[in-house]
Amino acid sequence: MSDPKLTKAVDSICDQFIVTKSKISQLTEYFIDCMEKGLEPCESDISQNKGLPMIPTFVTDKPSGQEHGVTMLAADLGGTNFRVCSVELLGNHEFKIEQEKSKIPTFFFQDDHHVTSKDLFQHMALITHQFLTKHHKDVIQDYKWKMGFTFSYPVDQTSLSSGKLIRWTKGFKIGDTVGQDVVQLFQQELNDIGLSNVHVVALTNDTTGTLLARCYASSDAARAINEPVIGCIFGTGTNGCYMEKLENIHKLDPASREELLSQGKTHMCINTEWGSFDNELNHLPTTSYDIKIDQQFSTNPGFHLFEKRVSGLYLGEILRNILLDLEKQELFDLKESVLKNNPFILTTETLSHIEIDTVENDLQDTRDALLKAADLETTFEERVLIQKLVRAISRRAAFLAAVPIAAILIKTNALNQSYHCQVEVGCDGSVVEHYPGFRSMMRHALALSPIGPEGERDVHLRISKDGSGVGAALCALHANY
Ligand code: BGC
């Protein structure tokens, strides 16, 4: 028998996670305002700008797919993994890639380990060395490597090959990296272990890589119908980029803008850093759980509040905090579960098992997932309610995820630019790729957004996997050094 008090409490929590059509419209309009504000010159300190960060990437062209050249290196520091690749662009939308991925050791995320910036970049340099020893032993020392470095955190980028970390996100907290040029930090460590022949020539973000890789992969015939216009990530973190007209990027130094215009350039890719949308909480839907996670459990309180409602790092933590609250109200018993004292122990993968479990199956996958992840035994009635909560959390995330896409399409008028009016959005990240139903819920929300059902039909969400390899190599290809 289900407990009516618990059922009532869960229903009222689920109601707080509903994002209505009018909320989507309000957020979309506000997102456009924040983009415009973010393109204006920053007063002094970029972290104080109230609009979106809107970081110029210094990438001015979308690849055609015919680019080719020497083999280049790419390194990618993401939310969970560090990846090193060598990439050869072959033209004709083809490429060859060798790669190694390693988990970032957990102590880099822990406060009590006192890790320094040097420790992190040294670790990355060592892994790069191992990669070269394994895959390119014959040329390791006497080949001049160009490297594109995908660093997926907010940086104040001042050229294609330099940028200072504004702040860490996704759980990192290494204080002495903030304000430093991450390219110099990496280059220094590469030099120190004898890899001064590896030149970090381009700094990029995973979103930019995703857009560039999608353009490279897309055939000319496909491009004539669906132009890739946005690159986005819904994984551990979330972010997106698009091509903005140079004349609208008022924050660019006027001399560099003029120079680019005189070279015939018209656009620049902007890394919006949309994880930071509405840090002031003017319009974002907010529950007491969001506030608690931000203030008590996140490493960057007050920042990246959109990300904390949408990205994979936080969805399980929202569920954990709801269950803790239900226990506090004496409606639910967590027994001896490790959930109590372990923030972030519930992963999005656990939630994805719960999301698609069925009553016909007695919600047994849910039972197994909760036992495995948190040593939590549940009754069938409890599992029904937990599934309801999971679906409310993921639906809110997917509905919010549609907002920046709709906003960018409206701001750039992308849906009215070609005869067929169709566009592609290159997507990467575990949530958009693997979370059951995430993309269809996003589509549903796009239809509810101001672009409407007609606009939604013209948007193709395509998984684009090679951003940090091909995308970074494309950036490195054009870099001068
Ligand atoms: C970072 C972005 C990154 C995104 C997706 C966010 O936390 O601030 O730079 O693109 O995660 O990885």
Side-chain angles (χ1 to χ4, degrees):
M1 262 294 284
S2 58
D3 169 357
K5 277 203 196 138
L6 177 61
T7 308
K8 197 165 162 220
V10 166
D11 284 345
S12 112
I13 294 170
C14 289
D15 285 350
Q16 296 171 45
F17 281 78
I18 292 172
V19 181
T20 60
K21 183 174 189 306
S22 63
K23 189 56 158 180
I24 295 176
S25 294
Q26 180 196 49
L27 287 168
T28 307
E29 266 171 43
Y30 187 53
F31 195 97
I32 297 172
D33 284 355
C34 292
M35 288 170 82
E36 275 161 4
K37 204 159 196 182
L39 290 171
E40 293 305 315
C42 312
E43 295 294 289
S44 52
D45 178 357
I46 190 168
S47 63
Q48 297 306 311
N49 187 334
K50 294 288 182 240
L52 277 160
M54 303 295 278
I55 298 166
T57 63
F58 297 88
V59 169
T60 49
D61 297 292
K62 290 205 259 183
S64 65
Q66 297 312 328
E67 293 75 5
H68 56 273
V70 292
T71 307
M72 281 166 295
L73 287 178
D76 169 24
L77 184 72
T80 332
N81 298 306
F82 178 61
R83 195 156 81 113
V84 185
C85 339
S86 57
V87 186
E88 189 186 354
L89 300 172
L90 303 169
N92 201 23
H93 316 283
E94 286 167 11
F95 59 90
K96 268 205 233 150
I97 191 164
E98 310 265 16
Q99 53 184 319
E100 294 287 334
K101 191 159 97 170
S102 57
K103 265 216 153 4
I104 303 164
T106 47
F107 63 81
F108 280 117
F109 299 98
Q110 288 159 0
D111 267 356
D112 44 357
H113 269 77
H114 308 295
V115 279
T116 61
S117 209
K118 188 169 177 59
D119 298 329
L120 176 67
F121 286 89
Q122 198 171 56
H123 169 80
M124 290 159 46
L126 281 169
I127 305 242
T128 308
H129 195 283
Q130 284 165 13
F131 172 85
L132 286 170
T133 313
K134 181 167 171 191
H135 294 276
H136 299 279
K137 200 170 179 20
D138 42 336
V139 292
I140 183 167
Q141 294 301 342
D142 46 44
Y143 185 80
K144 273 191 175 244
W145 291 99
K146 273 181 163 192
M147 176 186 263
F149 176 27
T150 306
F151 182 78
S152 302
Y153 301 87
V155 290
D156 181 5
Q157 192 154 359
T158 39
S159 74
L160 186 58
S161 60
S162 57
K164 294 181 179 159
L165 177 66
I166 300 171
R167 75 180 67 84
W168 285 111
T169 60
K170 298 180 284 199
F172 270 117
K173 215 182 169 178
I174 306 171
D176 61 342
T177 322
V178 176
Q180 301 290 319
D181 184 327
V182 292
V183 172
Q184 277 175 19
L185 293 176
F186 194 19
Q187 187 67 63
Q188 185 63 52
E189 296 308 321
L190 288 166
N191 295 350
D192 286 359
I193 58 159
L195 286 181
S196 51
N197 57 325
V198 174
H199 299 270
V200 188
V201 295
L203 173 66
T204 179
N205 182 275
D206 49 3
T207 54
T208 310
T210 300
L211 177 60
L212 298 186
R214 187 65 218 145
C215 293
Y216 186 82
S218 190
S219 71
D220 300 347
R223 284 276 277 273
I225 304 172
N226 299 318
E227 179 65 14
V229 292
I230 297 176
C232 61
I233 309 286
F234 296 102
T236 310
T238 181
N239 192 8
C241 72
Y242 72 104
M243 300 302 287
E244 180 58 85
K245 285 188 185 145
L246 277 170
E247 67 202 45
N248 293 341
I249 313 175
H250 302 136
K251 72 202 295 181
L252 265 186
D253 161 46
S256 4
R257 192 155 50 130
E258 284 318 310
E259 196 188 323
L260 289 168
L261 287 168
S262 72
Q263 292 164 7
K265 305 292 181 196
T266 53
H267 288 74
M268 185 182 282
C269 179
I270 294 288
N271 164 12
T272 65
E273 282 294 337
W274 71 40
S276 257
F277 172 48
D278 198 11
N279 284 341
E280 294 72 43
L281 291 183
N282 288 328
H283 299 293
L284 269 185
T286 299
T287 67
S288 57
Y289 312 108
D290 300 311
I291 295 173
K292 192 162 170 206
I293 292 169
D294 176 47
Q295 295 297 317
Q296 283 187 25
F297 299 119
S298 79
T299 48
N300 50 354
F303 293 101
H304 263 43
L305 298 188
F306 181 75
E307 176 159 291
K308 289 172 189 167
R309 286 147 179 77
V310 171
S311 81
L313 182 60
Y314 298 97
L315 302 185
E317 185 57 8
I318 300 176
L319 177 66
R320 190 185 76 94
N321 276 277
I322 296 177
L323 296 178
L324 290 181
D325 180 39
L326 291 171
E327 177 171 80
K328 202 163 150 210
Q329 296 180 49
E330 297 182 356
L331 295 172
F332 185 74
D333 186 2
L334 282 173
K335 301 170 209 103
E336 293 309 308
S337 166
V338 289
L339 269 188
K340 282 189 200 169
N341 302 315
N342 289 288
F344 297 100
I345 196 170
L346 284 181
T347 62
T348 307
E349 195 193 330
T350 302
L351 267 55
S352 67
H353 292 298
I354 303 176
E355 176 93 23
I356 46 166
D357 202 4
T358 60
V359 170
E360 293 74 49
N361 180 35
D362 246 353
L363 294 172
Q364 280 301 326
D365 292 349
T366 301
R367 176 170 179 263
D368 295 348
L370 290 168
L371 273 173
K372 186 166 161 217
D375 211 2
L376 177 65
E377 182 56 277
T378 46
T379 64
F380 173 74
E381 286 75 21
E382 286 168 344
R383 293 199 288 278
V384 169
L385 297 176
I386 290 175
Q387 187 182 55
K388 232 183 199 180
L389 288 167
V390 165
R391 289 179 172 173
I393 295 167
S394 64
R395 194 176 161 86
R396 182 184 74 165
F399 272 40
L400 292 178
V403 165
I405 311 257
I408 293 174
L409 294 176
I410 295 168
K411 181 176 188 308
T412 54
N413 199 22
L415 289 169
N416 298 312
Q417 300 283 319
S418 70
Y419 173 63
H420 293 284
C421 301
Q422 308 221 350
V423 295
E424 247 186 35
V425 175
C427 311
D428 195 8
S430 49
V431 175
V432 71
E433 199 186 350
H434 302 300
Y435 197 89
F438 196 83
R439 263 179 289 163
S440 57
M441 292 190 281
M442 268 175 85
R443 301 205 66 93
H444 185 160
L446 278 173
L448 295 173
S449 81
I451 68 168
E454 276 182 27
E456 182 268 333
R457 275 196 291 277
D458 292 335
V459 179
H460 302 273
L461 303 176
R462 293 253 196 278
I463 299 296
S464 171
K465 291 296 308 157
D466 302 304
S468 62
V470 174
L474 283 159
C475 284
L477 184 68
H478 296 297
N480 302 315
Y481 77 102

